[in-house]
């Protein structure tokens, strides 16, 4: 009960601060839209990137903001027949404020989305894609921010394959699925125990990682996960939030790897999921 009251007070304070801060019209976050190509052809896939530059000491939030905050969101307005995939978030950092733990980004981050181009393009026509970005920027106060961005793409008979994407390094921060990773989960009353068996091509002797839950309002974020190892298997125990409503059908996680294993898979982070009834 104390935790619920405490969080409610914090949220009410944040709302009052946001209403005051928004009236000033000053943002500490600046967003820019760019893409891996400016010309498109029928059936293409475009990679859109929204870059957020964040002023010093400020931060915005991951798709699971943690104990407090608001997920950074991208909303798309597309030409007829175009389809947007899910927003791809880089792995986050952890922030602790007044006993609350949240996940997000500082300095700079880039969110990505893949756009599927239809087959019935009109050659030499322009196609406009609009993106509305919404976020919550926090320091000592929290301010809701939003902006609308757009790009035009020229339809041609055959588009060129991008050679050197300017955002290659940023895209490497997107968690990737890896083959051979075996995961199980066991529900233990007020906690969950995850079993992970990494593929043989990993460097097991130096294997180290951080774990971030993607499911919102399920786990206690302020407590450090209990991680143990038995031969080639890792066991991770996470406590459930006592105020959770119900367990999801699928648990989703991101692992941030040590540098040696990140080099092996050419990615700093891994995405994996496990069914609650496995």
């Amino acid at each position: 009960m104390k935790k619920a009251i405490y969080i409610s007070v914090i949220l009410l304070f944040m709302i009052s601060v946001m209403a005051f801060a928004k009236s000033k019209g000053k943002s500490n976050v600046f967003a820019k839209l760019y893409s891996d190509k400016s010309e498109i052809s029928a059936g293409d896939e475009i990679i859109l990137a929204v870059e957020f530059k964040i002023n010093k000491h400020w931060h915005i939030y991951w798709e699971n903001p943690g104990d407090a905050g608001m997920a950074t969101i991208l909303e798309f307005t597309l030409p007829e027949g175009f389809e947007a995939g899910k927003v791809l978030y880089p792995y986050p950092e952890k922030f602790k404020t007044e006993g609350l733990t949240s996940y997000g980004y500082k300095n700079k981050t880039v969110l990505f989305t893949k756009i599927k181009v239809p087959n019935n393009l009109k050659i030499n026509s322009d196609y406009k894609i609009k993106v509305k970005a919404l976020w919550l920027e926090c320091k000592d106060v929290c301010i809701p921010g939003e902006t609308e961005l757009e790009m035009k793409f020229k339809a041609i008979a055959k588009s060129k394959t991008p050679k050197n994407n300017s955002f290659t390094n940023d895209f490497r921060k997107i968690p990737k699925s890896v083959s051979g990773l075996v995961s199980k989960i066991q529900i233990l009353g007020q906690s969950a125990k995850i079993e992970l068996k990494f593929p043989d091509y990993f460097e097991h002797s130096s294997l180290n990682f951080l774990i971030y839950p993607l499911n919102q309002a399920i786990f206690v974020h302020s407590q450090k996960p209990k991680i143990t190892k038995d031969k080639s298997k890792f066991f991770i125990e996470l406590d459930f939030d006592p105020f959770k409503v119900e367990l999801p059908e699928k648990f989703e996680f991101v692992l941030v790897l040590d540098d040696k294993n990140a080099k092996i898979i050419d990615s700093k982070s891994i995405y994996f999921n496990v069914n609650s009834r496995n």
Side-chain angles (χ1 to χ4, degrees):
M1 179 62 73
K2 286 184 178 179
K3 179 180 177 183
I5 294 172
Y6 177 71
I7 292 178
S8 297
V9 170
I10 290 290
L11 291 176
L12 285 172
F13 172 74
M14 286 171 59
I15 291 169
S16 64
V17 168
M18 287 189 288
F20 170 78
K22 190 175 181 181
S23 65
K24 292 185 176 182
K26 181 181 178 181
S27 178
N28 298 281
V29 177
F30 307 91
K32 181 177 75 172
L33 174 66
Y34 54 104
S35 174
D36 63 337
K37 57 181 69 175
S38 59
E39 297 176 322
I40 56 175
S41 58
D44 269 356
E45 181 181 76
I46 310 168
I47 300 179
L48 290 184
V50 178
E51 178 187 85
F52 295 88
K53 289 190 175 179
I54 306 159
N55 282 351
K56 190 175 181 180
H57 303 307
W58 291 80
H59 64 267
I60 60 175
Y61 292 91
W62 189 41
E63 55 185 312
N64 176 9
D67 289 331
M70 182 189 82
T72 302
I73 297 170
L74 301 182
E75 298 176 348
F76 301 91
T77 302
L78 303 174
E80 185 177 354
F82 285 62
E83 297 179 2
K86 64 179 294 187
V87 177
L88 304 175
Y89 293 78
Y91 62 86
E93 296 182 52
K94 183 181 287 188
F95 304 103
K96 292 190 176 183
T97 307
E98 299 294 334
L100 300 177
T101 298
S102 56
Y103 308 117
Y105 311 102
K106 61 183 181 180
N107 300 324
K108 191 194 91 165
T109 194
V110 184
L111 306 188
F112 295 90
T113 305
K114 295 180 180 180
I115 305 292
K116 181 65 177 175
V117 178
N119 291 318
N120 57 341
L121 293 185
K122 293 182 179 179
I123 303 300
N124 295 324
S125 295
D126 288 330
Y127 291 85
K128 184 186 294 184
I129 293 178
K130 296 182 179 180
V131 182
K132 184 176 183 180
L134 302 100
W135 65 86
L136 185 67
E137 55 193 63
C138 292
K139 183 186 171 186
D140 300 322
V141 297
C142 290
I143 307 170
E146 66 176 69
T147 190
E148 294 188 3
L149 309 164
E150 64 179 52
M151 281 191 73
K152 286 184 179 179
F153 297 86
K154 174 75 72 176
I156 60 175
K158 187 175 181 180
S159 62
K160 297 178 181 179
T161 302
K163 293 182 179 180
N164 294 308
N165 295 340
S166 60
F167 45 69
T168 298
N169 288 334
D170 291 309
F171 199 79
R172 289 184 71 250
K173 296 178 182 178
I174 302 298
K176 66 187 296 185
S177 299
V178 296
S179 61
L181 178 67
V182 179
S183 59
K184 299 178 182 179
I185 194 165
Q186 184 181 4
I187 307 302
L188 304 172
Q190 294 304 311
S191 66
K193 191 172 186 178
I194 304 155
E195 178 185 322
L196 289 178
K197 188 176 187 304
F198 287 85
D200 292 337
Y201 57 83
F202 271 66
E203 182 59 59
H204 291 261
S205 61
S206 63
L207 185 56
N208 191 20
F209 56 82
L210 300 173
I211 185 166
Y212 296 97
L214 272 164
N215 306 90
Q216 296 189 33
I218 297 297
F219 296 103
V220 176
H221 302 292
S222 58
Q223 293 183 3
K224 189 175 181 180
K226 303 168 189 173
I227 301 177
T228 57
K229 184 180 180 182
D230 181 16
K231 297 180 180 179
S232 62
K233 295 179 181 178
F234 282 83
F235 299 91
I236 308 161
E237 191 167 342
L238 298 168
D239 290 336
F240 287 127
D241 187 327
F243 300 100
K244 72 181 185 307
V245 178
E246 60 181 356
L247 296 180
E249 292 185 4
K250 181 172 66 175
F251 291 94
E252 298 180 278
F253 301 94
V254 167
L255 299 179
V256 180
L257 298 172
D258 60 275
D259 290 340
K260 184 174 287 188
N261 282 287
K263 188 175 182 180
I264 291 173
I265 65 168
D266 193 32
S267 178
K268 185 66 177 173
S269 57
I270 293 174
Y271 163 83
F272 76 94
N273 64 66
V274 56
N275 291 327
S276 57
R277 299 177 182 85
N278 60 355

